[in-house]
Amino acid sequence: MKKIVLLRHGESLWNQENRFTGWTNVDLSQKGVEEANNAGKLLKGNNFSFEIAYTSYLKRAIKTLNCVLDQMDEDWIPVHKTWRLNEKHYGILQGLNKSETATIYGDEQVHIWRRSYDVAPLPLEESDPSIPYKDTRYAHIPPCDLPLTESLKDAIDRVIPYWECEIFPRLMTTNSILVVAHGNSLRGIVKHLKGISNTDIADLNIPTAVPYVFEFDKSLTLVNDYYLGNPDEIKKKQEAVARQGSTKEINH
């Protein structure tokens, strides 16, 4: 059986503060480091081993991957970093508290920005210092390819070509791949793998640092997918993700 494990990064400092993060290069919180280490221990304890790994250009994903590989004693495997696995760009919402934003724009509008398929927040202004083309990490990428905001559809349009041309074909010559990325870039991959509709994707909430295992047969047909870990704890984490954009979270 061939396997690809998708892993959302551990809790970041802005996850902790319930802020829209997007392409902002925010570090892991202490809880996030612990989550990442626990994910590595869980994978090792269930006899997982990886031949290659992929992650984004963002610190919270890279550090999560490093923690996982350290716990598994697999620091030596090849790691490929790509901007195409970055989180969805949240435009002018980046840095804003999700629940406080909901009190201004309403729960429904924030839910649309967070979970809809094809509605993007307003873009960054050209004068904004956080525009990606001003960041040296993206100096080799044509500015026209770098987003100032994204819908989930936009994010999927940059993620899936890399998935189809680079990540998935590796299963032909390897048996196990680890992909550590972000809530929305991973939602795009899961949507693609499972054929989730543009409407139903709104209900998919991927918890932080919980290994999501996809199993394929020799013909690379998907035969099974499941989260690794305690089902009750995973459900609680999914529910917490779903609540983040609601005014109810302010008093939660």
Side-chain angles (χ1 to χ4, degrees):
M1 193 72 67
K2 293 175 177 284
K3 298 178 182 180
I4 296 181
V5 175
L6 306 181
L7 184 70
R8 185 182 175 189
H9 60 80
E11 181 192 73
S12 74
L13 292 170
W14 279 14
N15 289 145
Q16 190 179 62
E17 297 172 7
N18 200 25
R19 296 195 201 186
F20 290 99
T21 309
W23 281 38
T24 310
N25 200 30
V26 177
D27 207 343
L28 293 177
S29 67
Q30 184 56 46
K31 177 183 176 183
V33 173
E34 293 171 0
E35 286 182 327
N37 285 327
N38 288 337
K41 293 174 184 176
L42 181 63
L43 287 162
K44 185 174 183 179
N46 282 270
N47 298 315
F48 280 79
S49 180
F50 298 104
E51 297 165 70
I52 191 170
Y54 294 86
T55 191
S56 73
Y57 274 7
L58 299 172
K59 183 184 298 185
R60 57 195 186 273
I62 295 169
K63 284 197 171 184
T64 297
L65 174 60
N66 290 342
C67 289
V68 169
L69 295 181
D70 181 60
Q71 292 297 326
M72 299 183 71
D73 296 322
E74 294 190 341
D75 312 70
W76 54 272
I77 70 169
V79 172
H80 295 266
K81 300 183 179 76
T82 174
W83 68 279
R84 291 188 178 275
L85 288 175
N86 278 15
E87 176 60 291
K88 181 178 92 172
H89 198 298
Y90 275 101
I92 64 169
L93 297 181
Q94 292 186 162
L96 300 181
N97 179 278
K98 295 174 185 177
S99 297
E100 291 175 359
T101 303
T103 66
I104 299 171
Y105 296 102
D107 286 350
E108 183 177 353
Q109 181 61 64
V110 172
H111 181 74
I112 289 171
W113 283 330
R114 292 184 65 234
R115 287 290 178 260
S116 70
Y117 178 65
D118 57 3
V119 178
L122 292 173
L124 294 176
E125 299 287 342
E126 291 288 343
S127 59
D128 195 302
S130 67
I131 281 183
Y133 68 73
K134 297 179 181 179
D135 190 318
T136 55
R137 278 171 298 181
Y138 309 111
H140 62 292
I141 302 163
C144 62
D145 290 341
L146 296 170
L148 302 182
T149 187
E150 287 179 308
S151 64
L152 180 60
K153 179 182 182 300
D154 296 327
I156 289 173
D157 285 346
R158 66 167 157 83
V159 171
I160 295 305
Y162 187 82
W163 170 268
E164 292 185 327
C165 294
E166 169 61 32
I167 300 175
F168 194 65
R170 289 287 181 131
L171 275 187
M172 291 186 287
T173 56
T174 61
N175 291 313
S176 56
I177 297 172
L178 175 61
V179 180
V180 180
H182 306 266
N184 284 296
S185 51
L186 294 179
R187 286 173 74 221
I189 292 171
V190 174
K191 183 182 189 300
H192 176 73
L193 286 173
K194 300 188 69 174
I196 300 173
S197 72
N198 296 349
T199 301
D200 290 344
I201 193 62
D203 297 322
L204 178 65
N205 296 292
I206 297 180
T208 54
V210 178
Y212 194 174
V213 183
F214 287 78
E215 297 180 340
F216 304 85
D217 62 21
K218 291 181 179 179
S219 65
L220 303 189
T221 299
L222 178 64
V223 295
N224 195 21
D225 66 281
Y226 55 92
Y227 282 109
L228 199 63
N230 182 296
D232 292 335
E233 291 301 316
I234 292 168
K235 183 179 179 181
K236 288 178 183 178
K237 295 186 77 170
Q238 289 173 314
E239 290 171 347
V241 173
R243 286 196 305 268
Q244 286 174 356
S246 169
T247 52
K248 297 176 182 177
E249 184 67 11
I250 294 176
N251 297 315
H252 185 265

